[in-house]
Amino acid sequence: MKISTIPVPSPLSLWTTVRSVGAFNVACSFAALWAFVKVLKAFRWRLKTTQLRGPPRTSFIYGVLHDLASSQDSAAMYERWATEYGVAYMIPAVFGRTRVVLCDPRAIAHFYARETWTYVQTPLSLILLEASIGRGILWSQGEAHRRQRKALTPAFSNAAIRKLTSVFYDSAYKVKGAWDTAIESSKDGDAVIEVQNWMNHISLDTVGIAGFSHDFGSLDGKRASVTEVFDTFGNNQQASAVNQVLILFASAVFPTIITKIPTKRAKLFNKLSVTMGEISNDLLIRSRREKDLNVSERDEEKSIIGLLIKSEAQDAELHMSEEEVVAQMKVLLLAGYETTSISLTWALIELSRHPDVQTRLREELLAFGADPTYDQLKANLPYLDAIVHEVLRLHPPVGEFTRLAAADDVIPLSEPVRMVSGELTDSISIAKGTRITISAAAINRSLAIWGPDAKEFKPDRWLSEDGISGKAKEVQGHRHLLTFVDGPRTCLGKDFAIAEFKTVLSVLVKNFVFEMRDGLDTPVEVASGILPRPRVVGEDGIGVPLRVRRYE
């Protein structure tokens, strides 16, 4: 070959090659550094965290998380593992990660006492909450959470809820009127009514009037945009297996892209966020204009909307930004719609499955006479109270919680557990970065905690001191339940929700008899709404058709 024919690279191409090699080396260095940091963290985690036993990994990629996500009863899985491995154990998670599961009342009390400071929301939770409802009280942590909670607390006092009881009754009697009409038009003296949508609309209209002095009119058949979005969730079927896999993968590796995965459910959540934001802004603007009309300043400042407007002032002791104010409104709309409607639906299902319990409740209500006041609902109707809390025990609207340890900690146990080494320990060390899971549904229905009848719908357990087992009394949540969690993040609207629950149930049971449409053994499953909801097997969406007739 002649020398003149050998290609000689130009200076520009040489410089490009050098730059590309340099960039490649830099990228490799960063990758190596990232891997080194991950290895160090993993090594530190193993040194600082008590290594507990637990179930084997069923998937190399997903651990056991896909099994839990696709189960109709994940609480039973958690309870089964607790029986086998003890009151604290580890479960394999995505890509070799591990979670600690607590099933011990003493450990759970310690955990909740430190929540928002030592045990905080996971990055994925923060991303999802901010995308759907903003930086409100559910999103905030530490000092921000304390400030926001303190600003809202007066709106949920006994005195404030006492004034709202008439709103609860108004919604219940609207449903009574509509059902009376449906039964009158029936030839058989009864009607098959899809009760879950009615419970949804009771909850939405009630929180609109009680919280924001706004009637959405869903009980009157009005189709507000928020009603349509909420109802759409009920008609959205469970996420496909592919979607579940994508979500589990993204949440473990790239949580920031979780809201960008174009699933039908993600699109619904985005639409819900936009719709609630528009409505919250409209309500806020209207309320600012009407601030001095028809309501005394003292009453206004104790209402939810009044407190939020007051907190906007720059000189307010517990100041909230406009972004935070709108976020609180979105939280209250969503919580007011979802949780109480789910509990009311479960209550009607359980009463339909247990006619003797339904009859006994009706007898108590009829013997009492006139519609009870707020204070009478709390103190003078023990069987109603027992049924409400038995529904809340068996069917908590939010079944489990996962938090991230923001600092090293030691969690005490009420009984020792066996470690991987075979030794026993009565406390477990937790390293910063550990994920902790508590299944409220598993604790509420645990045979070890509530006794051999834990899985039964048995309201009588609440009527005597002996009805609650000694182990259950160690659970420090409301009435020994984790339904409203515990500690600094105890549900702020707990008393509001229970008062509404009791009011609506008292009106409906006093006036109607409920039966499962297809008999006592009609199977009911859990479907996917915004939160998990009951559904009669074979029905579309979240259908719960019951046979309803007037009580004569």
Side-chain angles (χ1 to χ4, degrees):
M1 181 183 291
K2 295 182 180 179
I3 294 177
S4 61
T5 62
I6 298 175
V8 178
S10 68
L12 180 60
S13 63
L14 280 171
W15 174 241
T16 303
T17 301
V18 170
R19 286 185 62 189
S20 63
V21 171
F24 177 75
N25 287 336
V26 169
C28 287
S29 299
F30 274 116
L33 180 62
W34 178 84
F36 180 68
V37 169
K38 288 291 184 183
V39 169
L40 276 183
K41 285 184 176 180
F43 183 67
R44 181 186 184 277
W45 179 84
R46 288 194 67 85
L47 284 178
K48 302 278 285 186
T49 303
T50 303
Q51 297 301 300
L52 300 170
R53 300 179 305 153
R57 182 176 296 274
T58 58
S59 164
F60 176 76
I61 298 177
Y62 304 109
V64 297
L65 296 192
H66 189 260
D67 301 329
L68 288 165
S70 57
S71 172
Q72 270 284 309
D73 191 0
S74 61
M77 296 176 68
Y78 284 118
E79 186 179 2
R80 185 174 71 251
W81 292 331
T83 302
E84 184 172 355
Y85 302 110
V87 295
Y89 56 88
M90 288 178 167
I91 59 172
V94 177
F95 288 107
R97 297 181 181 181
T98 302
R99 293 185 185 181
V100 173
V101 180
L102 301 179
C103 301
D104 176 66
R106 186 181 179 192
I108 290 169
H110 173 92
F111 169 91
Y112 278 129
R114 299 184 174 219
E115 201 181 1
T116 84
W117 300 97
T118 303
Y119 298 103
V120 299
Q121 301 273 13
T122 65
L124 174 64
S125 295
L126 291 174
I127 289 165
L128 292 176
L129 285 169
E130 184 175 7
S132 56
I133 52 180
R135 299 189 172 195
I137 193 168
L138 292 184
W139 179 91
S140 61
Q141 300 181 147
E143 184 59 34
H145 180 268
R146 187 203 66 80
R147 170 177 52 82
Q148 292 183 22
R149 187 181 180 90
K150 189 174 180 181
L152 288 169
T153 294
F156 295 98
S157 66
N158 281 332
I161 299 169
R162 187 177 290 113
K163 293 178 181 179
L164 296 174
T165 308
S166 61
V167 177
F168 305 153
Y169 276 118
D170 287 345
S171 293
Y173 276 106
K174 279 187 178 182
V175 172
K176 177 188 178 300
W179 289 4
D180 279 337
T181 301
I183 292 169
E184 283 173 7
S185 62
S186 169
K187 297 178 182 178
D188 303 321
D190 60 28
V192 174
I193 294 174
E194 201 295 283
V195 298
Q196 184 140 234
N197 272 331
W198 283 101
M199 299 306 104
N200 293 347
H201 295 165
I202 282 178
S203 299
L204 181 62
D205 284 4
T206 297
V207 77
I209 296 170
F212 310 114
S213 301
H214 175 78
D215 187 358
F216 287 105
S218 63
L219 289 170
D220 300 317
K222 294 180 182 177
R223 301 300 298 171
S225 56
V226 69
T227 316
E228 293 174 356
V229 177
F230 279 140
D231 287 351
T232 302
F233 266 96
N235 296 319
N236 180 35
Q237 298 301 304
Q238 298 227 15
S240 69
V242 173
N243 285 345
Q244 288 182 1
V245 167
L246 282 172
I247 290 168
L248 284 172
F249 179 85
S251 64
V253 185
F254 304 112
T256 53
I257 70 166
I258 194 75
T259 57
K260 307 296 190 295
I261 299 176
T263 63
K264 183 178 180 182
R265 193 167 175 79
K267 291 175 183 176
L268 282 175
F269 265 112
N270 289 335
K271 186 176 181 181
L272 177 66
S273 178
V274 171
T275 302
M276 287 199 303
E278 291 171 349
I279 289 169
S280 298
N281 276 307
D282 289 345
L283 293 177
L284 195 57
I285 291 168
R286 191 209 65 195
S287 296
R288 287 173 184 144
R289 290 173 181 165
E290 298 175 355
K291 183 176 180 181
D292 300 321
L293 299 178
N294 302 324
V295 183
S296 71
E297 186 175 346
R298 178 176 296 179
D299 285 342
E300 180 194 64
E301 288 184 357
K302 291 181 180 178
S303 69
I304 296 172
I305 192 71
L307 286 166
L308 290 172
I309 291 172
K310 181 183 177 184
S311 70
E312 283 190 300
Q314 289 298 325
D315 59 349
E317 179 186 356
L318 300 166
H319 173 71
M320 283 192 279
S321 66
E322 183 171 347
E323 178 191 18
E324 289 176 328
V325 167
V326 172
Q328 312 306 351
M329 296 180 74
K330 291 164 75 172
V331 168
L332 293 165
L333 275 174
L334 186 60
Y337 173 85
E338 276 291 287
T339 55
T340 307
S341 63
I342 291 171
S343 295
L344 280 165
T345 304
W346 273 118
L348 295 179
I349 290 171
E350 293 292 3
L351 292 175
S352 299
R353 286 170 160 174
H354 301 87
D356 55 330
V357 174
Q358 184 181 161
T359 299
R360 184 174 166 188
L361 173 59
R362 188 176 296 108
E363 289 171 351
E364 178 184 74
L365 294 167
L366 291 171
F368 187 84
D371 288 334
T373 64
Y374 171 71
D375 295 291
Q376 290 167 338
L377 283 167
K378 290 188 72 173
N380 297 101
L381 293 161
Y383 202 56
L384 173 63
D385 183 79
I387 287 170
V388 164
H389 284 90
E390 187 69 346
V391 171
L392 293 172
R393 183 184 74 85
L394 284 174
H395 308 291
V398 182
E400 70 179 67
F401 308 86
T402 296
R403 297 289 184 261
L404 184 74
D408 295 347
D409 192 25
V410 177
I411 299 178
L413 303 174
S414 63
E415 60 184 79
V417 296
R418 196 169 298 281
M419 298 182 289
V420 171
S421 66
E423 298 177 9
L424 291 173
T425 180
D426 57 6
S427 66
I428 53 175
S429 297
I430 299 294
K432 178 181 178 180
T434 305
R435 279 171 166 75
I436 310 283
T437 291
I438 295 173
S439 171
I443 301 300
N444 283 0
R445 301 198 291 258
S446 166
L447 293 170
I449 293 174
W450 288 87
D453 59 1
K455 304 292 190 287
E456 299 174 25
F457 179 73
K458 187 181 175 184
D460 279 332
R461 77 175 75 245
W462 298 96
L463 299 177
S464 68
E465 194 66 24
D466 297 336
I468 308 298
S469 74
K471 195 72 172 175
K473 289 177 183 175
E474 295 175 19
V475 179
Q476 293 186 16
H478 167 77
R479 300 288 287 274
H480 313 300
L481 300 175
L482 292 185
T483 304
F484 298 104
V485 302
D486 195 15
R489 299 193 84 96
T490 298
C491 176
L492 190 58
K494 167 177 62 68
D495 292 331
F496 180 104
I498 291 174
E500 182 184 356
F501 191 171
K502 288 183 175 180
T503 302
V504 174
L505 199 60
S506 69
V507 170
L508 297 183
V509 172
K510 214 165 34 168
N511 289 282
F512 300 103
V513 177
F514 299 91
E515 300 171 355
M516 300 301 292
R517 182 193 61 189
D518 302 318
L520 290 177
D521 297 327
T522 300
V524 175
E525 62 185 355
V526 176
S528 178
I530 297 174
L531 295 176
R533 285 179 168 272
R535 171 176 64 193
V536 169
V537 172
E539 293 294 312
D540 294 331
I542 51 170
V544 180
L546 299 182
R547 194 170 299 280
V548 183
R549 58 183 170 85
R550 280 203 197 97
Y551 173 73
E552 302 295 345

